[in-house]
Amino acid sequence: MKAADVMTTNIVTVRPEASVRAVAETLLKHGISAVPVVDGEGRPLGVISEGDLMPRNEKAREARRDWWLQILSEGDAVHPDYLQFLKSDHRTAAQIMVSPVLTVDESVSLAEIADMLFENNIKRVPVLRDGRIVGIVSRADLLKTIAGPGHLRGRDPVHDDGSALPMASDKLEALSQKHKAAAPPPHDPAADEVSASAFQALRVEHEQHEEEQRREAKRIADEKHHRQASQMLASHLTDEAWEHMMHNARATAKKGEEEHLLLRFPAELCSDHGRAVNAPDPEWPSTLRGMAADIYLRWKAELRPHGFSLQARVVDFPDGIPGDIGLYLSWGKHDDVAH
């Protein structure tokens, strides 16, 4: 079976110029946890998940992290209270989306899609026809193939003996197991004990649970960073993406600002993992790779002659080392910029 046989065709998308608040409202309205960003012809430019709506300001993120982790738990739609917070966020979908986005052709087999979901630790993948998005295949869609032929769109459960179904791969079976709810633990009478030592044990248990959550969140974030760096390393800046960047930069200037974030990317995309940018070393442009290098070359050829500067800054330091790096287009005066 192919992607076209099981994909969801009722697609919800947003445009790159959509505000963060509009994206959040779209997720809430449709009860989904991620949405593709497409251009005017339906070509995918990126994808935005609930986690991408988190504030970029470090202090704001730290102050709200524990609460938002509960609100934005896996599989849940955006909480209405979060929309109130987003009122002050003036970023656009193009600025927060993860790009490039992994896609498949409608003729790709389900086993190949299962492999892609597992290898990249993602929940869904857009399906393309002639470069335009026509559907989405999610883990749930794949699980329906395991549940039986009666769940598949366009199949006749009466006359179909299931022989046309491909053998489910190990990864499809693993997907099924992953979605089965774990049985609740048996009741422990000691949990009802009323004593200082029992309460202290509960506190320790809570701290251990929080530490496990922090480690898991870090693991997921590290995997996402590595995956994003690999995608950006293999991708190149298109004319359309560049035009969107310039459109957003112009909008930023109209708001009275002197610089605009063109691209935020993992430090892994630099050949030295961001050390030259952090120093700062005037040779930092030579460490850029992939899409970041394309943006630098485009700026050098088209914007530098007109007085624009380009600045690279480390925007966060997880565990004390460079995490994400931002490329900022400037029409004001800044130090440590490429001229």
Side-chain angles (χ1 to χ4, degrees):
M1 297 191 66
K2 308 297 183 183
D5 297 317
V6 300
M7 67 183 182
T8 298
T9 56
N10 185 20
I11 314 163
V12 177
T13 62
V14 296
R15 295 294 300 276
E17 62 271 17
S19 67
V20 169
R21 178 176 174 83
V23 173
E25 289 175 338
T26 298
L27 297 182
L28 178 63
K29 177 181 178 181
H30 296 278
I32 54 180
S33 58
V35 62
V37 182
V38 300
D39 63 16
E41 297 183 0
R43 291 189 293 262
L45 302 174
V47 65
I48 298 174
S49 65
E50 295 167 336
D52 298 317
L53 298 177
M54 293 293 289
R56 293 300 187 188
N57 178 274
E58 189 66 25
K59 291 183 179 179
R61 181 166 60 245
E62 288 296 326
R64 295 172 173 84
R65 180 177 57 187
D66 292 340
W67 186 34
W68 295 134
L69 282 178
Q70 294 178 356
I71 290 178
L72 301 177
S73 58
E74 181 174 346
D76 293 337
V78 175
H79 194 283
D81 291 347
Y82 191 40
L83 297 179
Q84 188 68 24
F85 170 76
L86 293 174
K87 283 184 177 180
S88 60
D89 196 328
H90 301 295
R91 293 174 296 163
T92 64
Q95 292 174 287
I96 66 170
M97 68 183 183
V98 174
S99 177
V101 59
L102 293 176
T103 61
V104 297
D105 186 79
E106 61 181 342
S107 62
V108 170
S109 71
L110 300 191
E112 291 177 276
I113 295 176
D115 289 339
M116 176 182 289
L117 295 183
F118 261 83
E119 290 171 3
N120 294 279
N121 193 30
I122 55 179
K123 302 175 188 176
R124 62 194 67 79
V125 61
V127 182
L128 305 186
R129 179 189 302 149
D130 298 327
R132 294 171 174 80
I133 185 169
V134 293
I136 291 179
V137 174
S138 67
R139 292 178 181 177
D141 295 323
L142 294 182
L143 291 173
K144 291 176 184 178
T145 68
I146 298 175
H151 290 269
L152 300 176
R153 185 177 65 252
R155 298 185 69 91
D156 183 352
V158 176
H159 299 94
D160 190 348
D161 62 2
S163 60
L165 281 173
M167 293 296 291
S169 69
D170 292 341
K171 289 185 173 61
L172 283 175
E173 291 291 349
L175 276 172
S176 179
Q177 294 299 322
K178 188 173 183 178
H179 281 73
K180 289 181 179 178
H187 177 67
D188 182 5
D192 297 329
E193 180 184 349
V194 179
S195 68
S197 59
F199 280 32
Q200 176 69 4
L202 291 174
R203 183 191 65 80
V204 171
E205 181 181 354
H206 173 74
E207 291 179 349
Q208 291 174 342
H209 178 66
E210 284 195 329
E211 178 60 27
E212 290 175 359
Q213 286 186 321
R214 283 192 290 268
R215 286 198 298 265
E216 178 64 10
K218 183 180 184 303
R219 182 190 66 79
I220 293 174
D222 289 345
E223 288 182 356
K224 181 178 179 180
H225 263 69
H226 180 70
R227 183 169 65 251
Q228 187 178 9
S230 298
Q231 293 171 353
M232 287 185 171
L233 183 61
S235 65
H236 293 283
L237 180 67
T238 64
D239 290 341
E240 186 166 16
W242 179 250
E243 290 172 3
H244 282 306
M245 290 180 182
M246 294 302 98
H247 172 80
N248 291 332
R250 182 181 294 274
T252 300
K254 288 181 178 179
K255 295 176 182 178
E257 303 293 335
E258 292 187 339
E259 67 175 15
H260 175 75
L261 176 62
L262 293 179
L263 182 70
R264 177 171 176 150
F265 58 92
E268 292 179 53
L269 202 60
C270 295
S271 59
D272 65 348
H273 286 238
R275 286 188 290 273
V277 172
N278 187 43
D281 185 330
E283 297 300 318
W284 63 261
S286 65
T287 69
L288 300 178
R289 300 185 295 173
M291 184 174 290
D294 288 349
I295 290 176
Y296 171 79
L297 294 175
R298 195 77 178 251
W299 161 81
K300 186 176 181 180
E302 299 181 13
L303 299 182
R304 184 170 68 171
H306 297 285
F308 289 94
S309 298
L310 189 70
Q311 183 183 27
R313 295 200 299 267
V314 179
V315 296
D316 63 0
F317 290 86
D319 300 323
I321 60 176
D324 278 359
I325 292 176
L327 281 182
Y328 294 84
L329 181 68
S330 170
W331 44 94
K333 294 182 179 180
H334 292 277
D335 297 328
D336 305 323
V337 297
H339 292 287

